[in-house]
Amino acid sequence: MAACREVSTWIQENVLTPVERFVTQAREACEEVRTWVEEQVQRPVENWVSQTERRCREQDCNWWCACCNKWFCWLVTVVVRVVTWVVVTVGKWVAHLVCKIVVTVIGIVVELVLKVVSRLVTFFVCLFTDPIKALSALWDLVNDVVDALDDVLGLVVELLDDVGEIIRDVGRLLEGLGRSFCIYGDGACALFGAIFGFFKAVTDWLADVVDWVRDTVDGVRDLVLGILSLDWCRMQRGLGIFNVLRLVTSVTRLLGMLFYVGPRQLVDRRGLEATMDSALTQALLDDPERLERARTRAGIGGAPLGTPATLDPWRLAVRSGEFLRELHTSGVLDLYAVAGRFSDCQGKFTYDQLNGEVVYTGTRTTVSKTDIDDFLELGADAVPSFTVHAIDREVFQRHLQTADFFP
């Protein structure tokens, strides 16, 4: 019996976990590529264009050539904005999407093959010494297949998220083009702000529709995989796909977004910029260099508007240990429910449960039911190290999008 458990633990610690950690690091590298481009390329270009537009707006008009100096300045900023947007945005998303798809697909295939081999080896080793353990290995194999399907559907959900972000990137370009006309004064700023605000509202609505499709796919994913894994918590979450109210409200508010919300957003933004710029000018009028630095820092004329803040978010986590065992045995949390394994959700609605995850430390791989069983029965030393996170990685990243560089 001891040999049976040792084989399973050895394979997980020395074969599966190292591979899973490598795949996890590769997937995180794909995310870092996009972040690096936004911070090191897109942001400096946007700042330069914003500063140039502000200087164009402030310079005197040469009436002898019908303000040709402002025309040229405006043309330069528009060309730079459009060309860099096309190059940077296309390059960013192509690199990000190709990297994500290739790494995720390869990771799913490699992990599934290794898990199948691991479960079969464990089954045959345990068949005569610990039949219950052997049957548990077969159930783990079923969960492994479900997890692979979960990863495939998860990739679809993430790609829909990316489609929504691409549409929002188009909206930000339109917003920037609308701001560029502020060079010609408040009247032109309001007029073209309303025009481009209309088209930006179209992109916002399209992105909202994509988000609805994404949520629907995610709901189908939860419902189907909840049924396959006999997880009542996840089945409950999947029932949200029957909520059509969001789509109805999205359609009904389209006209308001097109003719009011979108245009007003750009017009109000211009007024807010003027208020901020006036306050900075009054406070730093005697120090032009400092005033210029303050304007740049506050994003006057650019995006995002306001002084940026850097956050260092962390997810609350508990490592596998005696404290975690006590949390489970005392009923504070249900490891099976959080891990998405066979669970009745403690007889509660899913909204009363953590929307977290139970993964092997350093990976995105959900802990097997057998390892959770052994952990609760024998203690932390009997299983590979794993970590319980209070919030799922996908949900966590989605919440962080509200603090993205370009809101």
Side-chain angles (χ1 to χ4, degrees):
M1 183 178 297
C4 172
R5 298 183 186 277
E6 290 174 359
V7 167
S8 176
T9 301
W10 185 90
I11 293 176
Q12 181 63 55
E13 289 182 336
N14 296 281
V15 179
L16 294 178
T17 298
V19 172
E20 291 158 356
R21 284 176 178 166
F22 175 79
V23 172
T24 297
Q25 292 171 358
R27 293 178 66 178
E28 290 175 349
C30 295
E31 298 291 337
E32 291 172 357
V33 168
R34 172 187 167 189
T35 302
W36 184 88
V37 172
E38 289 177 342
E39 293 181 350
Q40 303 300 323
V41 180
Q42 195 168 356
R43 180 172 181 173
V45 170
E46 179 65 28
N47 286 338
W48 180 86
V49 171
S50 299
Q51 294 175 42
T52 303
E53 287 179 347
R54 189 168 62 247
R55 295 190 186 99
C56 292
R57 186 167 61 243
E58 293 173 350
Q59 69 181 355
D60 295 330
C61 178
N62 292 332
W63 295 107
W64 60 270
C65 65
C67 294
C68 59
N69 58 321
K70 285 184 176 285
W71 297 352
F72 179 76
C73 192
W74 173 81
L75 183 61
V76 169
T77 57
V78 169
V79 170
V80 170
R81 187 187 294 277
V82 173
V83 171
T84 55
W85 183 90
V86 172
V87 174
V88 172
T89 304
V90 171
K92 174 183 69 175
W93 283 112
V94 168
H96 172 73
L97 293 176
V98 170
C99 180
K100 173 185 286 187
I101 294 172
V102 171
V103 169
T104 302
V105 171
I106 292 177
I108 292 172
V109 173
V110 171
E111 288 185 29
L112 181 59
V113 170
L114 290 177
K115 286 179 179 179
V116 170
V117 173
S118 169
R119 305 311 180 201
L120 292 178
V121 169
T122 303
F123 172 77
F124 286 112
V125 170
C126 300
L127 184 59
F128 299 103
T129 60
D130 191 349
I132 296 179
K133 184 79 170 181
L135 293 176
S136 184
L138 291 181
W139 179 246
D140 286 340
L141 179 58
V142 173
N143 283 326
D144 292 336
V145 176
V146 173
D147 288 344
L149 179 59
D150 190 10
D151 289 337
V152 172
L153 294 177
L155 176 61
V156 175
V157 169
E158 290 181 10
L159 292 178
L160 287 172
D161 270 334
D162 292 335
V163 171
E165 285 301 308
I166 292 172
I167 294 174
R168 290 184 178 90
D169 271 348
V170 175
R172 290 161 192 145
L173 172 64
L174 295 174
E175 182 182 21
L177 291 176
R179 289 198 311 272
S180 68
F181 284 91
C182 294
I183 291 174
Y184 299 106
D186 292 339
C189 187
L191 174 62
F192 288 97
I195 295 174
F196 282 91
F198 173 89
F199 293 107
K200 182 180 183 299
V202 174
T203 62
D204 289 341
W205 179 76
L206 290 175
D208 192 47
V209 172
V210 171
D211 287 344
W212 178 83
V213 174
R214 177 234 175 261
D215 290 342
T216 302
V217 173
D218 202 24
V220 173
R221 170 190 176 194
D222 283 333
L223 186 59
V224 172
L225 297 178
I227 294 173
L228 293 177
S229 59
L230 303 179
D231 180 11
W232 174 235
C233 274
R234 192 159 192 181
M235 280 187 270
Q236 289 184 72
R237 291 200 298 269
L239 295 176
I241 62 174
F242 298 107
N243 181 14
V244 298
L245 183 60
R246 176 176 174 183
L247 180 61
V248 173
T249 56
S250 178
V251 173
T252 55
R253 68 189 177 95
L254 175 59
L255 293 178
M257 293 174 63
L258 295 179
F259 296 103
Y260 181 71
V261 176
R264 179 185 173 183
Q265 180 181 2
L266 293 190
V267 173
D268 286 352
R269 180 191 179 93
R270 172 58 180 154
L272 179 59
E273 288 180 350
T275 301
M276 294 173 59
D277 193 38
S278 176
L280 289 175
T281 301
Q282 283 186 338
L284 304 173
L285 184 61
D286 297 333
D287 192 343
E289 293 183 0
R290 187 180 175 189
L291 174 59
E292 183 62 25
R293 291 197 303 270
R295 284 172 165 174
T296 302
R297 182 67 175 170
I300 302 297
L305 178 63
T307 304
T310 301
L311 305 178
D312 188 18
W314 292 83
R315 292 189 295 167
L316 179 65
V318 180
R319 289 287 179 88
S320 52
E322 188 59 32
F323 176 66
L324 183 59
R325 290 181 71 196
E326 292 177 359
L327 290 178
H328 177 90
T329 55
S330 63
V332 175
L333 62 82
D334 184 350
L335 284 177
Y336 297 103
V338 180
R341 300 311 184 193
F342 175 76
S343 170
D344 65 352
C345 213
Q346 294 180 300
K348 302 177 181 178
F349 286 107
T350 186
Y351 304 106
D352 295 327
Q353 296 287 341
L354 288 175
N355 187 15
E357 60 183 8
V358 184
V359 295
Y360 293 105
T361 302
T363 75
R364 299 185 183 185
T365 304
T366 304
V367 178
S368 67
K369 181 180 180 300
T370 299
D371 281 341
I372 295 177
D373 292 338
D374 290 344
F375 168 73
L376 296 176
E377 179 183 354
L378 305 174
D381 294 336
V383 299
S385 174
F386 63 86
T387 304
V388 178
H389 294 278
I391 184 172
D392 178 84
R393 179 186 291 269
E394 291 182 13
V395 177
F396 183 65
Q397 291 180 332
R398 202 175 311 132
H399 289 334
L400 289 180
Q401 289 177 0
T402 58
D404 203 353
F405 167 63
F406 290 108

